[in-house]
Short mmCIF file of all heavy atoms in Angstrom, two decimals:
data_model
loop_
_atom_site.label_atom_id
_atom_site.label_comp_id
_atom_site.label_asym_id
_atom_site.label_seq_id
_atom_site.Cartn_x
_atom_site.Cartn_y
_atom_site.Cartn_z
N MET H 20 -6.87 11.68 9.16
CA MET H 20 -6.24 11.25 7.89
C MET H 20 -7.07 10.19 7.31
O MET H 20 -7.65 9.35 7.96
CB MET H 20 -4.78 10.77 8.18
CG MET H 20 -4.00 10.77 6.85
SD MET H 20 -2.40 10.12 7.12
CE MET H 20 -1.98 9.53 5.43
N GLU H 21 -7.13 10.30 5.95
CA GLU H 21 -8.00 9.36 5.19
C GLU H 21 -7.36 7.87 5.45
O GLU H 21 -6.27 7.61 5.53
CB GLU H 21 -7.79 9.64 3.79
CG GLU H 21 -8.89 9.05 2.93
CD GLU H 21 -8.60 9.39 1.38
OE1 GLU H 21 -8.08 10.48 1.10
OE2 GLU H 21 -8.82 8.57 0.64
N LYS H 22 -8.28 6.96 5.58
CA LYS H 22 -7.98 5.52 5.79
C LYS H 22 -7.58 4.92 4.52
O LYS H 22 -8.20 5.11 3.46
CB LYS H 22 -9.12 4.76 6.35
CG LYS H 22 -9.41 4.97 7.76
CD LYS H 22 -8.92 3.99 8.79
CE LYS H 22 -9.26 4.26 10.15
NZ LYS H 22 -8.51 5.27 10.93
N VAL H 23 -6.41 4.27 4.56
CA VAL H 23 -5.91 3.52 3.38
C VAL H 23 -6.12 2.07 3.52
O VAL H 23 -5.73 1.54 4.70
CB VAL H 23 -4.53 3.85 3.16
CG1 VAL H 23 -3.92 3.19 1.93
CG2 VAL H 23 -4.19 5.40 2.99
N THR H 24 -6.68 1.43 2.61
CA THR H 24 -6.80 0.02 2.66
C THR H 24 -5.95 -0.68 1.62
O THR H 24 -5.66 -0.01 0.57
CB THR H 24 -8.25 -0.53 2.48
OG1 THR H 24 -8.74 0.00 1.16
CG2 THR H 24 -9.08 0.08 3.63
N ALA H 25 -5.37 -1.84 1.93
CA ALA H 25 -4.58 -2.52 0.94
C ALA H 25 -4.83 -4.00 1.20
O ALA H 25 -5.31 -4.50 2.27
CB ALA H 25 -3.10 -2.13 1.11
N TYR H 26 -4.37 -4.74 0.20
CA TYR H 26 -4.49 -6.26 0.36
C TYR H 26 -3.45 -6.77 1.20
O TYR H 26 -2.27 -6.43 1.01
CB TYR H 26 -4.51 -6.94 -1.03
CG TYR H 26 -4.48 -8.42 -0.98
CD1 TYR H 26 -5.70 -8.92 -0.88
CD2 TYR H 26 -3.32 -9.13 -1.15
CE1 TYR H 26 -5.77 -10.35 -0.65
CE2 TYR H 26 -3.41 -10.50 -1.16
CZ TYR H 26 -4.64 -11.16 -0.91
OH TYR H 26 -4.62 -12.46 -0.90
N CYS H 27 -3.77 -7.44 2.28
CA CYS H 27 -2.75 -8.04 3.11
C CYS H 27 -2.36 -9.48 2.75
O CYS H 27 -3.33 -10.35 2.66
CB CYS H 27 -3.27 -8.01 4.54
SG CYS H 27 -2.17 -8.78 5.76
N MET H 28 -1.18 -9.70 2.53
CA MET H 28 -0.77 -11.06 2.14
C MET H 28 -1.06 -12.15 3.18
O MET H 28 -1.24 -13.30 2.87
CB MET H 28 0.75 -11.10 1.88
CG MET H 28 1.19 -10.08 0.85
SD MET H 28 0.99 -10.75 -0.86
CE MET H 28 2.37 -11.69 -1.05
N LYS H 29 -1.00 -11.67 4.41
CA LYS H 29 -1.27 -12.63 5.45
C LYS H 29 -2.74 -12.91 5.81
O LYS H 29 -3.02 -14.00 5.94
CB LYS H 29 -0.46 -12.12 6.78
CG LYS H 29 -0.06 -13.15 7.73
CD LYS H 29 0.90 -12.63 8.67
CE LYS H 29 1.43 -13.68 9.69
NZ LYS H 29 2.32 -13.36 10.58
N CYS H 30 -3.53 -11.79 5.85
CA CYS H 30 -4.91 -11.92 6.16
C CYS H 30 -5.63 -12.45 4.86
O CYS H 30 -6.62 -13.23 5.05
CB CYS H 30 -5.48 -10.61 6.44
SG CYS H 30 -4.86 -9.91 8.00
N ARG H 31 -5.18 -12.20 3.75
CA ARG H 31 -5.78 -12.60 2.51
C ARG H 31 -7.27 -12.28 2.45
O ARG H 31 -8.08 -13.10 2.02
CB ARG H 31 -5.68 -14.14 2.33
CG ARG H 31 -4.19 -14.52 2.27
CD ARG H 31 -4.05 -16.02 2.03
NE ARG H 31 -2.64 -16.36 1.93
CZ ARG H 31 -2.20 -17.48 1.32
NH1 ARG H 31 -2.96 -18.34 0.79
NH2 ARG H 31 -0.84 -17.69 1.27
N ASP H 32 -7.45 -11.06 2.82
CA ASP H 32 -8.87 -10.48 2.80
C ASP H 32 -8.97 -9.70 1.56
O ASP H 32 -8.34 -8.69 1.34
CB ASP H 32 -9.08 -9.66 4.04
CG ASP H 32 -10.54 -9.17 4.16
OD1 ASP H 32 -11.28 -9.39 3.10
OD2 ASP H 32 -10.96 -8.61 5.16
N LYS H 33 -9.90 -10.28 0.68
CA LYS H 33 -10.02 -9.67 -0.65
C LYS H 33 -10.59 -8.12 -0.60
O LYS H 33 -10.29 -7.41 -1.35
CB LYS H 33 -10.99 -10.55 -1.59
CG LYS H 33 -10.29 -11.52 -2.11
CD LYS H 33 -11.23 -12.45 -2.94
CE LYS H 33 -10.53 -13.67 -3.51
NZ LYS H 33 -11.59 -14.61 -4.10
N ALA H 34 -11.28 -7.93 0.51
CA ALA H 34 -11.76 -6.57 0.62
C ALA H 34 -10.70 -5.56 1.07
O ALA H 34 -10.89 -4.36 1.00
CB ALA H 34 -12.86 -6.61 1.70
N GLY H 35 -9.61 -6.16 1.57
CA GLY H 35 -8.49 -5.27 2.05
C GLY H 35 -8.55 -4.98 3.50
O GLY H 35 -9.66 -5.11 4.11
N SER H 36 -7.40 -4.69 4.06
CA SER H 36 -7.31 -4.37 5.50
C SER H 36 -6.91 -2.98 5.61
O SER H 36 -6.20 -2.45 4.69
CB SER H 36 -6.37 -5.38 6.21
OG SER H 36 -6.66 -6.71 6.02
N ILE H 37 -7.25 -2.37 6.65
CA ILE H 37 -6.78 -0.89 6.86
C ILE H 37 -5.26 -0.92 7.25
O ILE H 37 -4.78 -1.69 7.91
CB ILE H 37 -7.58 -0.32 8.11
CG1 ILE H 37 -9.06 -0.19 7.60
CG2 ILE H 37 -6.95 1.10 8.50
CD1 ILE H 37 -10.01 0.19 8.70
N MET H 38 -4.65 -0.04 6.39
CA MET H 38 -3.22 0.12 6.53
C MET H 38 -2.93 1.28 7.66
O MET H 38 -3.44 2.34 7.52
CB MET H 38 -2.66 0.60 5.29
CG MET H 38 -1.12 0.60 5.22
SD MET H 38 -0.55 1.43 3.68
CE MET H 38 -0.71 0.11 2.45
N GLU H 39 -2.17 0.92 8.73
CA GLU H 39 -1.90 1.84 9.68
C GLU H 39 -0.39 2.47 9.30
O GLU H 39 0.34 1.85 8.74
CB GLU H 39 -1.87 1.11 11.13
CG GLU H 39 -3.25 0.80 11.56
CD GLU H 39 -3.29 0.54 12.96
OE1 GLU H 39 -2.31 0.08 13.55
OE2 GLU H 39 -4.31 0.91 13.55
N ASN H 40 -0.47 3.66 9.91
CA ASN H 40 0.89 4.42 9.68
C ASN H 40 1.26 4.41 8.17
O ASN H 40 2.38 4.40 7.84
CB ASN H 40 2.03 3.74 10.48
CG ASN H 40 1.81 3.70 11.99
OD1 ASN H 40 1.37 4.68 12.60
ND2 ASN H 40 1.97 2.44 12.50
N ALA H 41 0.19 4.59 7.38
CA ALA H 41 0.45 4.65 5.94
C ALA H 41 1.19 5.99 5.51
O ALA H 41 0.94 7.05 5.98
CB ALA H 41 -0.88 4.65 5.20
N LYS H 42 2.14 5.66 4.61
CA LYS H 42 2.76 6.89 4.16
C LYS H 42 3.22 6.68 2.67
O LYS H 42 3.51 5.48 2.32
CB LYS H 42 4.11 7.31 5.08
CG LYS H 42 5.23 6.23 4.93
CD LYS H 42 6.46 6.60 5.67
CE LYS H 42 7.55 5.69 5.49
NZ LYS H 42 8.80 6.19 6.23
N GLU H 43 3.30 7.76 2.00
CA GLU H 43 3.52 7.68 0.54
C GLU H 43 5.02 7.66 0.33
O GLU H 43 5.73 8.42 0.89
CB GLU H 43 2.89 8.86 -0.12
CG GLU H 43 2.72 8.49 -1.60
CD GLU H 43 1.84 9.62 -2.35
OE1 GLU H 43 0.97 10.13 -1.58
OE2 GLU H 43 2.11 9.86 -3.47
N VAL H 44 5.52 6.75 -0.56
CA VAL H 44 6.90 6.76 -0.84
C VAL H 44 7.15 6.73 -2.30
O VAL H 44 6.21 6.12 -3.11
CB VAL H 44 7.56 5.45 -0.19
CG1 VAL H 44 7.63 5.43 1.29
CG2 VAL H 44 6.86 4.18 -0.72
N PRO H 45 8.17 7.20 -2.90
CA PRO H 45 8.44 7.11 -4.23
C PRO H 45 8.61 5.77 -4.73
O PRO H 45 9.22 4.84 -3.98
CB PRO H 45 9.67 8.04 -4.62
CG PRO H 45 10.38 8.16 -3.21
CD PRO H 45 9.29 7.89 -2.13
N PHE H 46 8.19 5.46 -5.91
CA PHE H 46 8.30 4.04 -6.37
C PHE H 46 8.78 4.06 -7.81
O PHE H 46 8.04 4.75 -8.60
CB PHE H 46 6.97 3.28 -6.18
CG PHE H 46 6.94 1.99 -6.85
CD1 PHE H 46 7.48 0.88 -6.25
CD2 PHE H 46 6.22 1.72 -8.11
CE1 PHE H 46 7.40 -0.44 -6.78
CE2 PHE H 46 6.05 0.43 -8.62
CZ PHE H 46 6.71 -0.57 -7.93
N ASN H 47 9.75 3.33 -8.20
CA ASN H 47 10.24 3.21 -9.57
C ASN H 47 9.45 2.13 -10.31
O ASN H 47 9.69 0.97 -9.93
CB ASN H 47 11.68 3.04 -9.58
CG ASN H 47 12.34 4.29 -9.17
OD1 ASN H 47 12.05 5.42 -9.41
ND2 ASN H 47 13.50 4.07 -8.44
N ARG H 48 8.73 2.48 -11.27
CA ARG H 48 8.02 1.41 -12.01
C ARG H 48 8.81 0.79 -13.04
O ARG H 48 9.95 1.35 -13.45
CB ARG H 48 6.73 2.10 -12.62
CG ARG H 48 5.83 2.76 -11.67
CD ARG H 48 4.76 3.54 -12.42
NE ARG H 48 3.72 2.65 -12.95
CZ ARG H 48 2.57 2.38 -12.18
NH1 ARG H 48 2.35 2.95 -11.03
NH2 ARG H 48 1.73 1.63 -12.73
N LYS H 49 8.41 -0.35 -13.65
CA LYS H 49 9.16 -0.90 -14.66
C LYS H 49 9.21 0.03 -15.84
O LYS H 49 8.20 0.71 -16.22
CB LYS H 49 8.46 -2.23 -15.11
CG LYS H 49 8.87 -3.40 -14.15
CD LYS H 49 8.21 -4.63 -14.66
CE LYS H 49 8.48 -5.82 -13.74
NZ LYS H 49 7.74 -7.04 -14.12
N GLY H 50 10.39 0.08 -16.47
CA GLY H 50 10.50 0.94 -17.70
C GLY H 50 10.95 2.29 -17.27
O GLY H 50 11.15 3.16 -18.17
N GLY H 51 11.27 2.50 -15.98
CA GLY H 51 11.89 3.73 -15.56
C GLY H 51 10.94 4.89 -15.24
O GLY H 51 11.35 6.07 -14.95
N THR H 52 9.61 4.74 -15.42
CA THR H 52 8.71 5.77 -15.01
C THR H 52 8.54 5.84 -13.48
O THR H 52 8.59 4.79 -12.90
CB THR H 52 7.32 5.51 -15.72
OG1 THR H 52 6.85 4.22 -15.46
CG2 THR H 52 7.45 5.75 -17.20
N LYS H 53 8.33 7.08 -13.07
CA LYS H 53 8.17 7.09 -11.61
C LYS H 53 6.77 7.13 -11.10
O LYS H 53 5.96 7.79 -11.79
CB LYS H 53 8.95 8.43 -11.07
CG LYS H 53 10.42 8.35 -11.26
CD LYS H 53 11.15 9.16 -10.33
CE LYS H 53 12.62 8.90 -10.30
NZ LYS H 53 13.36 9.86 -11.13
N GLY H 54 6.54 6.51 -10.08
CA GLY H 54 5.24 6.40 -9.58
C GLY H 54 5.32 6.60 -8.00
O GLY H 54 6.37 7.00 -7.51
N SER H 55 4.28 6.22 -7.37
CA SER H 55 4.36 6.29 -5.86
C SER H 55 3.53 5.09 -5.32
O SER H 55 2.80 4.52 -6.00
CB SER H 55 3.80 7.58 -5.39
OG SER H 55 2.35 7.72 -5.75
N ALA H 56 3.96 4.79 -4.16
CA ALA H 56 3.42 3.67 -3.49
C ALA H 56 3.14 4.01 -1.95
O ALA H 56 3.60 4.98 -1.48
CB ALA H 56 4.33 2.49 -3.47
N MET H 57 2.28 3.29 -1.32
CA MET H 57 1.99 3.46 0.04
C MET H 57 2.49 2.24 0.81
O MET H 57 2.50 1.03 0.37
CB MET H 57 0.55 3.48 0.32
CG MET H 57 -0.30 4.57 -0.33
SD MET H 57 0.12 6.33 0.24
CE MET H 57 -0.65 6.13 1.78
N THR H 58 3.15 2.51 1.89
CA THR H 58 3.67 1.52 2.83
C THR H 58 3.03 1.79 4.22
O THR H 58 2.74 2.92 4.64
CB THR H 58 5.21 1.51 2.93
OG1 THR H 58 5.65 2.69 3.62
CG2 THR H 58 5.81 1.22 1.67
N GLY H 59 2.80 0.77 4.89
CA GLY H 59 2.27 0.84 6.21
C GLY H 59 2.18 -0.50 6.89
O GLY H 59 2.86 -1.53 6.35
N THR H 60 1.41 -0.67 7.91
CA THR H 60 1.30 -1.98 8.55
C THR H 60 -0.23 -2.29 8.61
O THR H 60 -1.03 -1.46 8.78
CB THR H 60 1.81 -1.98 10.00
OG1 THR H 60 1.46 -0.98 10.76
CG2 THR H 60 3.42 -2.00 9.91
N CYS H 61 -0.52 -3.65 8.53
CA CYS H 61 -1.89 -4.13 8.53
C CYS H 61 -2.40 -3.89 9.95
O CYS H 61 -1.77 -4.17 11.00
CB CYS H 61 -1.88 -5.58 8.20
SG CYS H 61 -3.49 -6.34 8.37
N SER H 62 -3.62 -3.34 10.03
CA SER H 62 -4.09 -3.02 11.30
C SER H 62 -4.58 -4.24 12.07
O SER H 62 -4.96 -4.29 13.28
CB SER H 62 -5.30 -2.07 11.23
OG SER H 62 -6.38 -2.60 10.40
N VAL H 63 -4.74 -5.38 11.24
CA VAL H 63 -5.20 -6.66 11.84
C VAL H 63 -4.05 -7.55 12.36
O VAL H 63 -4.16 -8.00 13.44
CB VAL H 63 -6.00 -7.40 10.79
CG1 VAL H 63 -6.56 -8.79 11.28
CG2 VAL H 63 -7.13 -6.58 10.27
N CYS H 64 -3.11 -7.62 11.54
CA CYS H 64 -1.92 -8.58 12.04
C CYS H 64 -0.64 -7.93 12.16
O CYS H 64 0.32 -8.53 12.54
CB CYS H 64 -1.93 -9.76 10.98
SG CYS H 64 -1.29 -9.28 9.46
N GLY H 65 -0.54 -6.68 11.69
CA GLY H 65 0.75 -5.97 11.83
C GLY H 65 1.79 -6.27 10.74
O GLY H 65 2.91 -5.77 10.92
N THR H 66 1.35 -7.04 9.82
CA THR H 66 2.30 -7.27 8.62
C THR H 66 2.60 -6.10 7.78
O THR H 66 1.69 -5.23 7.64
CB THR H 66 1.75 -8.42 7.77
OG1 THR H 66 1.67 -9.62 8.55
CG2 THR H 66 2.59 -8.71 6.59
N LYS H 67 3.73 -5.88 7.26
CA LYS H 67 4.05 -4.74 6.36
C LYS H 67 3.26 -4.87 5.16
O LYS H 67 3.12 -5.95 4.59
CB LYS H 67 5.61 -4.72 6.12
CG LYS H 67 6.36 -3.78 6.96
CD LYS H 67 7.68 -3.35 6.28
CE LYS H 67 8.34 -2.31 6.95
NZ LYS H 67 9.57 -1.88 6.40
N MET H 68 2.71 -3.71 4.73
CA MET H 68 1.91 -3.75 3.52
C MET H 68 2.49 -2.83 2.55
O MET H 68 3.21 -1.71 2.93
CB MET H 68 0.55 -3.24 3.89
CG MET H 68 -0.22 -4.09 4.77
SD MET H 68 -1.79 -3.33 5.25
CE MET H 68 -2.94 -4.32 4.24
N PHE H 69 2.18 -3.03 1.35
CA PHE H 69 2.75 -2.27 0.22
C PHE H 69 1.72 -2.16 -0.83
O PHE H 69 1.08 -3.18 -1.25
CB PHE H 69 4.02 -2.90 -0.31
CG PHE H 69 4.80 -2.07 -1.28
CD1 PHE H 69 5.62 -1.02 -0.75
CD2 PHE H 69 4.65 -2.28 -2.64
CE1 PHE H 69 6.31 -0.30 -1.72
CE2 PHE H 69 5.40 -1.38 -3.52
CZ PHE H 69 6.24 -0.50 -3.06
N LYS H 70 1.40 -0.94 -1.21
CA LYS H 70 0.35 -0.75 -2.28
C LYS H 70 0.81 0.28 -3.32
O LYS H 70 1.25 1.38 -2.98
CB LYS H 70 -0.93 -0.18 -1.69
CG LYS H 70 -2.09 -0.04 -2.60
CD LYS H 70 -3.24 0.67 -1.89
CE LYS H 70 -4.38 0.58 -2.70
NZ LYS H 70 -5.52 1.29 -1.99
N ILE H 71 0.91 -0.25 -4.54
CA ILE H 71 1.27 0.63 -5.62
C ILE H 71 0.17 1.47 -6.11
O ILE H 71 -0.99 1.09 -6.34
CB ILE H 71 1.79 -0.23 -6.79
CG1 ILE H 71 3.07 -0.94 -6.38
CG2 ILE H 71 2.16 0.68 -7.96
CD1 ILE H 71 3.47 -2.07 -7.26
N LEU H 72 0.45 2.85 -6.07
CA LEU H 72 -0.59 3.81 -6.50
C LEU H 72 -0.41 4.03 -7.99
O LEU H 72 0.63 3.86 -8.60
CB LEU H 72 -0.30 5.13 -5.70
CG LEU H 72 -0.48 5.07 -4.24
CD1 LEU H 72 -0.04 6.36 -3.66
CD2 LEU H 72 -1.80 4.52 -3.76
N GLY H 73 -1.44 4.55 -8.52
CA GLY H 73 -1.50 4.93 -9.99
C GLY H 73 -0.70 6.22 -10.19
O GLY H 73 -0.14 6.76 -9.19
N LYS H 74 -0.80 6.70 -11.42
CA LYS H 74 0.00 7.90 -11.73
C LYS H 74 -0.68 9.08 -11.03
O LYS H 74 -1.81 9.05 -10.87
CB LYS H 74 -0.08 8.09 -13.26
CG LYS H 74 0.89 7.25 -14.13
CD LYS H 74 0.76 7.51 -15.46
CE LYS H 74 1.65 6.65 -16.33
NZ LYS H 74 1.41 6.73 -17.77
N LYS H 75 0.26 9.96 -10.67
CA LYS H 75 -0.17 11.12 -10.11
C LYS H 75 -0.97 12.06 -11.04
O LYS H 75 -0.53 12.15 -12.14
CB LYS H 75 0.97 11.93 -9.54
CG LYS H 75 1.31 11.46 -8.06
CD LYS H 75 2.34 12.41 -7.45
CE LYS H 75 2.64 11.98 -6.03
NZ LYS H 75 3.70 12.76 -5.48
N LYS H 76 -2.08 12.53 -10.57
CA LYS H 76 -2.92 13.40 -11.44
C LYS H 76 -2.33 14.84 -11.52
O LYS H 76 -1.85 15.36 -10.54
CB LYS H 76 -4.35 13.39 -10.98
CG LYS H 76 -5.07 12.12 -11.35
CD LYS H 76 -6.36 12.05 -10.54
CE LYS H 76 -6.70 10.61 -10.55
NZ LYS H 76 -7.83 10.37 -9.63
ZN1 ZN D 127 -3.06 -8.54 7.85
#
């Protein structure tokens, strides 16, 4: 599976950390539009990560 990277609040690595067990979840954006997000855990410290994805193509 493709590696997903996200900014980790704990590691504070601007380059991003690899998200483990990443899965896509529905996400309600402001204004009522639906989008999607990824959730998973940081491969470095195990903190929960959340990444908002752009609109689906
Ligand atoms: Zn981390």
Side-chain angles (χ1 to χ4, degrees):
M20 196 181 156
E21 199 182 325
K22 288 256 186 283
V23 180
T24 57
Y26 178 77
C27 175
M28 299 281 276
K29 206 166 184 181
C30 296
R31 298 187 180 198
D32 187 346
K33 279 180 187 168
S36 305
I37 291 168
M38 190 191 279
E39 286 197 330
N40 303 313
K42 66 172 184 180
E43 200 172 329
V44 292
F46 174 76
N47 293 318
R48 303 171 79 91
K49 277 183 186 173
T52 51
K53 289 207 170 102
S55 56
M57 299 290 291
T58 63
T60 53
C61 175
S62 64
V63 180
C64 68
T66 296
K67 262 201 167 181
M68 295 172 104
F69 190 79
K70 184 186 191 180
I71 294 165
L72 302 173
K74 282 181 185 172
K75 274 190 179 173
K76 283 164 197 168

